[in-house]
Amino acid sequence: MALIKPIRGLTPKWGRDCYFSENATIVGDVTMGEECSVWFNAVVRGDVAPITIGNRTNIQDGACVHVTNTTGPTIIGSDVTIGHNATVHACTIRDGALVGMGATLLDNCEVGEGAIVAAGALVLQNTRIGSHELWGGVPARYIKHAKPNQAENFARHYVEYSKWYMEEDQSSLSL
């Protein structure tokens, strides 16, 4: 079972049909919608400011989602994919966006609806990425306009994957 930890009287909350792997960690002032998933070794830590996550969003293996008490919360929309080993810190990610593997998003940046942050990119503090734009590099820069639904399709796959794991968990209980 995932580590679900209250801190300073704040306890994580989530909607129906969420999947949290056995070694995921979710701490403090975290609110997430329905059909979300937090995968192996991922950490969602709302200890000094809130983290709000919409529906059908996935936080993949090894990712870290955190906040800053002086900058503010982390807000992640619906149908968002946070790739393996990404770091998301005190920023806003709009609906349908994709944050690639190993990318880093720094304080007060904003990723627009359906936008893509390429694997390994470093999005600097206060950067604004427009809707359906593809950004990459260190530091991240605009590359081109993303294809329609290019980012959104990833989140749909992870809703399906999480159901495989929930079904497996249920069948192993009946053995």
Side-chain angles (χ1 to χ4, degrees), residues 81-104:
T81 294
I82 308 295
H84 309 290
N85 294 312
T87 300
V88 172
H89 205 270
C91 60
T92 299
I93 304 171
R94 302 287 177 202
D95 293 348
L98 167 66
V99 177
M101 295 182 286
T104 300

Side-chain angles (χ1 to χ4, degrees), residues 44-93:
V44 181
R45 185 161 60 102
D47 53 358
V48 296
I51 296 172
T52 304
I53 301 170
N55 299 313
R56 297 171 306 280
T57 289
N58 63 90
I59 313 295
Q60 295 178 10
D61 311 61
C64 178
V65 179
H66 194 226
V67 290
T68 301
N69 63 359
T70 56
T71 303
T74 295
I75 300 167
I76 301 172
S78 295
D79 303 304
V80 171
T81 294
I82 308 295
H84 309 290
N85 294 312
T87 300
V88 172
H89 205 270
C91 60
T92 299
I93 304 171

Side-chain angles (χ1 to χ4, degrees), residues 4 8 13 18 46 54 67 73 90 96 111 134 143 159 175:
I4 308 293
R8 298 175 57 212
K13 299 171 190 68
C18 289
V67 290
V111 177
L134 169 61
I143 296 173
V159 170
L175 292 178

Side-chain angles (χ1 to χ4, degrees), residues 24-36:
T25 302
I26 305 167
V27 179
D29 194 359
V30 175
T31 304
M32 65 180 83
E34 299 178 350
E35 297 184 298
C36 291

Side-chain angles (χ1 to χ4, degrees), residues 89-149:
H89 205 270
C91 60
T92 299
I93 304 171
R94 302 287 177 202
D95 293 348
L98 167 66
V99 177
M101 295 182 286
T104 300
L105 279 61
L106 297 179
D107 292 6
N108 201 37
C109 72
E110 183 173 331
V111 177
E113 184 175 334
I116 299 173
V117 176
L122 172 61
V123 180
L124 297 177
Q125 185 175 8
N126 301 317
T127 299
R128 298 292 178 260
I129 296 175
S131 294
H132 303 283
E133 292 181 353
L134 169 61
W135 283 53
V138 178
R141 303 256 187 256
Y142 173 81
I143 296 173
K144 65 180 183 177
H145 208 71
K147 296 175 187 169
N149 296 314

